[in-house]
Amino acid sequence: MPADSFVRSFRESSPYIHRFRGQTFVINFGGDAIADGSIRVLAHDIALLNSLGINVVLVHGAGPQIDAALQLHGLQTQRIHGKRITSPEAMQVLREAVGGARLVVEAALSEGQMGSPMAHAGLQVISGNFIIAQPLGILDGVDYQSTGKVRRVASEAMERHLAADEIVLLSPIGVSPTGTLFNIRAEEVAVAAAIALGAAKLVFYMDAEGIFDAQGNLLRQLTASEIPTLQKRPDLPAEVHEHLHSAATACAKGVERVHLISRHVDGALLRELFTRDGLGTLISRDSFEHMRMATVTDIPGILALIRPLEKKGILVKRNRERLEMEADHFVVMERDGKIIGCAAIYPYPEQGMAEVACLAVDSLYRRQGRGESLLAFCENWARERQLSRIFVLSTQTTHWFLERKFRQGTLAELPVPRQQLYNFQRRSQVFFQDL
């Protein structure tokens, strides 16, 4: 990577580094990552999160290890609705397989060879009886025997270890108050832990790159409200369906964001967490990108957005003092904490009109409908105040407005106060739209 690219990328990640410090992330990965050795690469990323002051809870699966151990002992188990029926004999084999898988993960997290990303990491990993279980019981006439579900998470004990800068490692086994062990799906353990800890993020590693729409396009962001519609798709893979169900449960109970990323991409976790657009699919409890009226604290973001357009003469130059005075006239489009679009709206209620000005979208997010969204927001703002017309003044984007049903007008049609502020040097053209 060129030096300037590295510096730029590192600087762009700094807001996330500041924001994530002290937050809790729950990360779930399957037994496949243990079987193929990719857990060692993942451990490098986990060490980095820990060094940045992020509380990390890992939940590992052990499906391949359990299947191999059962086959070795000549045992077979049945799955119904994705849940394994665990007989007492199978449970004996299962706990050994899970224990072996957990030790492999602990070994990967304990590596500290000089010259490797783990050098000087000194990670402390703690496992324990943090998952209190109860039997799944008999469902639809099926006795699931030693298969269980999460009854309670010992979150206070986990939080003490996280506060001590230790990584908490959870296995897909829980223990009941009677001392009985139960097999629990790792994904269910991860969801329960994230909810109990009030985690900021729940991350699932998966075989696919994320969730795709019906046309095969990767969906970068979703909100929890969109999940029910997605789940109705008949072509949805079982793994994705389960992750969507887990995400809906987690978001409904307070987890802010759920990330689905590929386990086959080196550094996928870091790219998902520390870049604005991520790598896989982000499912957020609330809208990942939204519009709102601006406040004074948004002025630096607005300035960064409009300065390049001012230099090109597309926008009229506004100094910081003016922007601070007019902050309540601005609407901003915010994406993951960054202002990526803005527009100003100035009402002239006596004439039943409003001016839309300073409409700008970050160059990385243009040609994706965001300008139209900002304009629509301004139109609705004006309608709510019973204004009948909006107008704009433009020198270089005239056709953009004409294509959106504006008509060219004259200076005389402007409200008199706005006529008096007209800049004859810019010779801006005037466009109107009736609401």
Side-chain angles (χ1 to χ4, degrees):
M1 176 188 293
D4 57 343
S5 297
F6 168 77
V7 171
R8 183 170 60 254
S9 299
F10 200 57
R11 285 173 175 166
E12 287 177 354
S13 68
S14 61
Y16 301 99
I17 294 173
H18 292 305
R19 187 190 310 170
F20 295 160
R21 184 177 293 114
Q23 292 187 347
T24 298
F25 295 177
V26 177
I27 302 171
N28 172 231
F29 56 91
D32 289 334
I34 301 171
D36 64 16
S38 57
I39 179 59
R40 296 192 177 279
V41 178
L42 173 59
H44 299 165
D45 297 344
I46 299 302
L48 180 56
L49 296 188
N50 178 260
S51 71
L52 296 175
I54 297 170
N55 300 323
V56 179
V57 177
L58 299 179
V59 184
H60 75 86
Q65 292 77 13
I66 293 171
D67 291 339
L70 290 172
Q71 184 177 5
L72 183 64
H73 288 79
L75 296 174
Q76 293 183 343
T77 58
Q78 183 182 6
R79 290 180 183 270
I80 298 180
H81 303 306
K83 297 182 183 295
R84 189 193 300 267
I85 299 176
T86 311
S87 66
E89 296 79 15
M91 190 65 204
Q92 294 290 330
V93 175
L94 185 144
R95 67 182 187 182
E96 295 176 6
V98 170
R102 187 189 74 242
L103 290 174
V104 173
V105 176
E106 290 180 355
L109 294 169
S110 301
E111 185 179 315
Q113 291 180 336
M114 296 300 295
S116 80
M118 299 290 289
H120 308 297
L123 299 182
Q124 298 296 313
V125 184
I126 184 73
S127 301
N129 57 339
F130 301 116
I131 303 300
I132 313 304
Q134 67 184 59
L136 194 58
I138 300 174
L139 300 177
D140 298 325
V142 177
D143 186 355
Y144 283 85
Q145 301 181 59
S146 293
T147 297
K149 60 183 178 180
V150 178
R151 177 179 179 179
R152 182 172 59 85
V153 177
S155 56
E156 292 183 0
M158 292 171 64
E159 286 168 349
R160 287 197 296 271
H161 290 288
L162 293 172
D165 200 29
E166 296 174 337
I167 291 175
V168 175
L169 178 61
L170 303 178
S171 298
I173 287 182
V175 60
S176 74
T178 62
T180 305
L181 296 177
F182 288 96
N183 171 30
I184 306 175
R185 290 180 62 247
E187 187 160 334
E188 295 181 19
V189 173
V191 171
I195 293 170
L197 292 168
K201 294 184 182 293
L202 171 59
V203 181
F204 290 115
Y205 275 89
M206 58 189 298
D207 285 323
E209 296 177 28
I211 300 176
F212 293 82
D213 63 17
Q215 288 72 44
N217 301 308
L218 179 63
L219 298 173
R220 293 291 190 185
Q221 297 95 29
L222 298 169
T223 57
S225 61
E226 297 175 82
I227 291 178
T229 301
L230 277 173
Q231 289 178 314
K232 295 177 182 178
R233 279 175 42 190
D235 62 332
L236 203 65
E239 178 190 29
V240 173
H241 198 282
E242 291 172 3
H243 289 328
L244 285 174
H245 175 76
S246 297
T249 302
C251 289
K253 296 188 178 181
V255 178
E256 295 177 3
R257 294 183 176 179
V258 178
H259 300 259
L260 307 181
I261 58 176
S262 171
R263 70 180 187 87
H264 301 291
V265 177
D266 185 18
L269 182 63
L270 303 182
R271 291 172 62 183
E272 175 69 12
L273 296 178
F274 295 101
T275 61
R276 182 159 286 109
D277 292 317
L279 180 78
T281 297
L282 163 65
I283 302 173
S284 57
R285 186 175 58 182
D286 302 310
S287 179
F288 178 71
E289 184 175 302
H290 64 282
M291 285 183 287
R292 57 176 174 78
M293 297 307 295
T295 65
V296 174
T297 59
D298 296 314
I299 298 304
I302 294 174
L303 280 169
L305 187 65
I306 66 176
R307 282 293 184 252
L309 299 176
E310 291 176 349
K311 290 179 180 179
K312 294 179 180 179
I314 298 174
L315 296 178
V316 176
K317 189 171 182 179
R318 292 168 168 80
N319 59 37
R320 189 184 187 100
E321 291 74 19
R322 177 182 173 184
L323 284 172
E324 289 178 351
M325 292 176 61
E326 298 180 351
D328 58 349
H329 287 286
F330 274 79
V331 54
V332 293
M333 179 177 286
E334 183 179 12
R335 179 184 176 90
D336 199 24
K338 179 184 178 182
I339 304 300
I340 65 166
C342 71
I345 184 163
Y346 302 97
Y348 293 87
E350 293 182 2
Q351 292 79 21
M353 287 189 271
E355 178 183 7
V356 176
C358 202
L359 197 155
V361 176
D362 188 290
S363 59
L364 294 175
Y365 300 96
R366 292 174 189 161
R367 298 181 181 87
Q368 299 174 28
R370 291 181 174 84
E372 288 88 345
S373 297
L374 284 163
L375 183 59
F377 186 99
C378 294
E379 291 171 353
N380 290 332
W381 186 94
R383 287 192 186 96
E384 288 173 358
R385 286 153 184 80
Q386 298 181 338
L387 303 178
S388 59
R389 181 183 295 180
I390 60 173
F391 66 88
V392 298
L393 279 71
S394 176
T395 59
Q396 299 183 37
T397 57
T398 56
H399 277 269
W400 191 88
F401 291 105
L402 288 172
E403 291 166 4
R404 283 148 186 86
K405 299 181 179 180
F406 279 75
R407 65 167 180 84
Q408 188 166 358
T410 65
L411 179 61
E413 293 179 80
L414 292 176
V416 173
R418 186 63 182 88
Q419 293 181 34
Q420 296 171 348
L421 296 174
Y422 183 81
N423 187 332
F424 285 93
Q425 289 184 328
R426 283 181 60 83
R427 297 178 61 188
S428 300
Q429 297 183 47
V430 183
F431 298 88
F432 292 88
Q433 183 185 99
D434 295 326
L435 300 177

